[in-house]
Amino acid sequence: MFPFSFEWVWDMDHIVFHGGLWYALNIMGLGMTYCIIKAAWDTYKGKGGHNH
Amino acid sequence: MDSALIPRGVKRCPTWQFILGIVIVGAVLLWGVFAMLLCWIKGLNQTNMNTAYGFAIWIWADLAVIAVGGGAFFTGFLRYIVGKDELKNIINFAVLIGFICYSSALLILAIDIGQPLRGWFIFWHANVHSMLTEVAFCLSCYFGVLCIEYLPLILENRQIDKVPFFHNLSHNMHEIMAVFAATGAFLSFFHQGSLGGVAGVLFGRPFGFREGVLIWPWTFFLFTWSAAACGPCFTILITKITEAIARKKLVKDNVIELLAKISGWMLLTYSVAKIADTWYWATVTAPSKGFTLMDFYSNNPLYGIWILILEVGICGVLPALILITDKGRKTSFALWAAVILAVIGVCLNRWVMVLQILAVPVMPFISWHMYFPSWQEIATTILPVAYGIILIMISYRYLPIFPQEAELNPIEPPTYAEEDKQEQEEPVETQEASNAPEPEMQPAEA
């Protein structure tokens, strides 16, 4: 559920529950994005193959 | 046939033997899948659910696999946050076991809700006053974390690792694994706790009701504590079973002993807290609701006081005392006995906290509700076990799950010669092997 959903209420319960959910999802999403982009960059630079 | 996929420096059984094993366990898996499809196609009338038992036997299976899967988060916490470096030699297997346990838990939930197509409702139409909502959020997210932790292991397969992008991705994921491990520990703390909290807030059922701190009943903390204590015991137990089946040592004794020692102290402190909690509940909480202790353990064919003694004493204090002593950890029989008892203890605790609660009558004119599951429930509960065995078999065969295996089981010289001959036939592979990290090292450490 997002704040723009009609069921959303700006109270502590919604903020804590969904804040925790988004916090965890963001860490996973950003972490994986960083790893994938860095892996693509490293591969482009020739790391990890025969020259690694 | 599949030798090119098997990690370097280790020996595996012949392919036919491996496939035979998969087929045998696969038959059990198919039986479970058949029962699962019956539940989905024909509905939950395939179970023996009734108004007293609205979650079938699955609720126990769910809580039990989540508890024993706690070894992944706690071992990850010890390895990456506390800095117990020796545990790097068992963390891969702990992650695999956690992955199996949590995927099984989600599968069981998908069957239990009866209408899996509406599974997303709990995220979108969330009831923010429910501990089960917190469980659903944290369980799903933590399964995501376990996927992220398991992925580098798959990428380290001998053939996949040859692809530079995958090699780099695995390397990068290992580098920031502490972030994922910390997130996993945070999520696990809350969902393990909330599963206990669900029982603790049932003021209408004095067998489960507990007092606590702010909104959290004591069961919240006891569930997290017991999962952290017994989860590593399950990891040790499965490691020992794998070693027995493979007929070789896979992890050094010092690693097992360290994990067993930490687990033992966790279990001892948990047992003390559990005894104090039970004592207070029996003498203060339950009487305040009009019950005596023996009201919960008499006048029924199954639940006697023996279950309390077995759970807290024989499967709680006893394994803890074995595991905290040096001699207990070093004696093979005692270690086996302790980890088996600890695992039985935590499963029994979950049984008591979800099924005995439902069985206990809450009104003087109501009798005990006893329950026996249908064969579909039993088959779908055995299904995750078969699935877990197959995943362990595949992972053990093709992935570098045990970093110390090659060192502990050096291959005989003739086999080395065969490998050299094979490598001469594959010059590219040989060059890569010389550049590859040492077997005991993770890519990040290399």
Side-chain angles (χ1 to χ4, degrees), chain B residues 260-269 317-329 338:
Chain B
K261 185 180 179 181
I262 294 169
S263 198
W265 281 106
M266 288 293 291
L267 192 55
L268 185 69
T269 49
V317 176
L318 182 61
L321 291 176
I322 294 173
L323 292 176
I324 60 167
T325 56
D326 195 45
K327 196 179 175 186
R329 291 191 299 273

Side-chain angles (χ1 to χ4, degrees), chain B residues 218-434:
Chain B
W218 296 124
T219 47
F220 180 98
F221 305 100
L222 289 173
F223 263 51
T224 305
W225 207 334
S226 58
C230 300
C233 286
F234 187 67
T235 306
I236 295 172
L237 177 63
I238 301 297
T239 306
K240 289 284 174 192
I241 291 172
T242 310
E243 285 182 342
I245 292 170
R247 279 173 289 183
K248 61 169 108 167
K249 203 154 189 60
L250 299 169
V251 181
K252 285 183 182 173
D253 286 338
N254 69 316
V255 179
I256 296 285
E257 282 168 23
L258 174 66
L259 198 56
K261 185 180 179 181
I262 294 169
S263 198
W265 281 106
M266 288 293 291
L267 192 55
L268 185 69
T269 49
Y270 162 75
S271 296
V272 171
K274 176 72 184 172
I275 290 168
D277 170 73
T278 306
W279 185 269
Y280 187 81
W281 161 77
T283 56
V284 179
T285 313
S288 73
K289 305 286 178 188
F291 287 84
T292 66
L293 176 67
M294 288 316 291
D295 287 338
F296 303 119
Y297 297 102
S298 55
N299 300 323
N300 76 86
L302 178 65
Y303 299 111
I305 195 75
W306 63 269
I307 203 164
L308 184 64
I309 296 166
L310 181 66
E311 181 206 332
V312 182
I314 299 170
C315 295
V317 176
L318 182 61
L321 291 176
I322 294 173
L323 292 176
I324 60 167
T325 56
D326 195 45
K327 196 179 175 186
R329 291 191 299 273
K330 286 189 191 309
T331 311
S332 178
F333 174 76
L335 182 65
W336 269 94
V339 293
I340 289 171
L341 286 177
V343 170
I344 291 173
V346 77
C347 293
L348 198 58
N349 173 260
R350 280 10 180 205
W351 179 285
V352 165
M353 294 305 283
V354 292
L355 291 182
Q356 193 176 347
I357 282 181
L358 299 174
V360 176
V362 289
M363 298 286 181
F365 50 85
I366 295 175
S367 56
W368 281 73
H369 296 283
M370 303 314 287
Y371 186 77
F372 195 82
S374 68
W375 74 263
Q376 290 91 334
E377 288 173 61
I378 295 170
T380 45
T381 304
I382 293 172
L383 162 66
V385 179
Y387 150 73
I389 293 170
I390 289 176
L391 199 56
I392 287 177
M393 284 172 76
I394 294 171
S395 300
Y396 171 66
R397 190 171 180 83
Y398 298 120
L399 306 177
I401 297 290
F402 296 103
Q404 294 178 320
E405 186 187 353
E407 184 191 341
L408 288 167
N409 307 276
I411 294 176
E412 295 153 14
T415 321
Y416 266 131
E418 279 170 21
E419 272 210 351
D420 288 345
K421 193 181 169 189
Q422 189 188 344
E423 282 176 4
Q424 277 170 4
E425 286 166 7
E426 301 171 65
V428 176
E429 202 175 281
T430 312
Q431 192 180 349
E432 278 176 3
S434 63

Side-chain angles (χ1 to χ4, degrees), chain B residues 159-191:
Chain B
Q159 296 302 320
I160 299 175
D161 193 55
K162 284 180 183 173
V163 181
F165 175 77
F166 291 142
H167 177 89
N168 288 327
L169 182 59
S170 165
H171 177 93
N172 292 336
M173 288 177 77
H174 276 294
E175 272 189 340
I176 63 162
M177 198 52 80
V179 177
F180 296 126
T183 310
F186 167 80
L187 293 167
S188 283
F189 177 83
F190 280 100
H191 77 245

Side-chain angles (χ1 to χ4, degrees), chain B residues 121-164:
Chain B
F121 276 28
I122 200 164
F123 299 101
W124 197 257
H125 307 292
N127 172 10
V128 292
H129 304 290
S130 167
M131 286 210 180
L132 281 180
T133 306
E134 187 187 332
V135 171
F137 281 14
C138 293
L139 203 67
S140 313
C141 288
Y142 184 54
F143 180 64
V145 170
L146 283 169
C147 289
I148 290 172
E149 288 180 341
Y150 185 43
L151 184 61
L153 280 177
I154 299 171
L155 298 178
E156 282 170 24
N157 170 270
R158 202 166 132 193
Q159 296 302 320
I160 299 175
D161 193 55
K162 284 180 183 173
V163 181

Side-chain angles (χ1 to χ4, degrees), chain B residues 58-111:
Chain B
W58 293 317
I59 190 67
W60 164 74
D62 212 39
L63 264 71
V65 291
I66 289 171
V68 295
F73 97 84
F74 193 61
T75 314
F77 173 77
L78 292 170
R79 162 77 178 90
Y80 294 106
I81 313 299
V82 179
K84 294 285 179 191
D85 205 40
E86 299 97 313
L87 297 180
K88 72 183 178 193
N89 297 309
I90 203 169
I91 187 72
N92 291 350
F93 201 50
V95 164
L96 173 62
I97 293 168
F99 179 84
I100 291 167
C101 288
Y102 277 80
S103 52
S104 299
L106 289 174
L107 176 70
I108 293 168
L109 281 176
I111 306 170

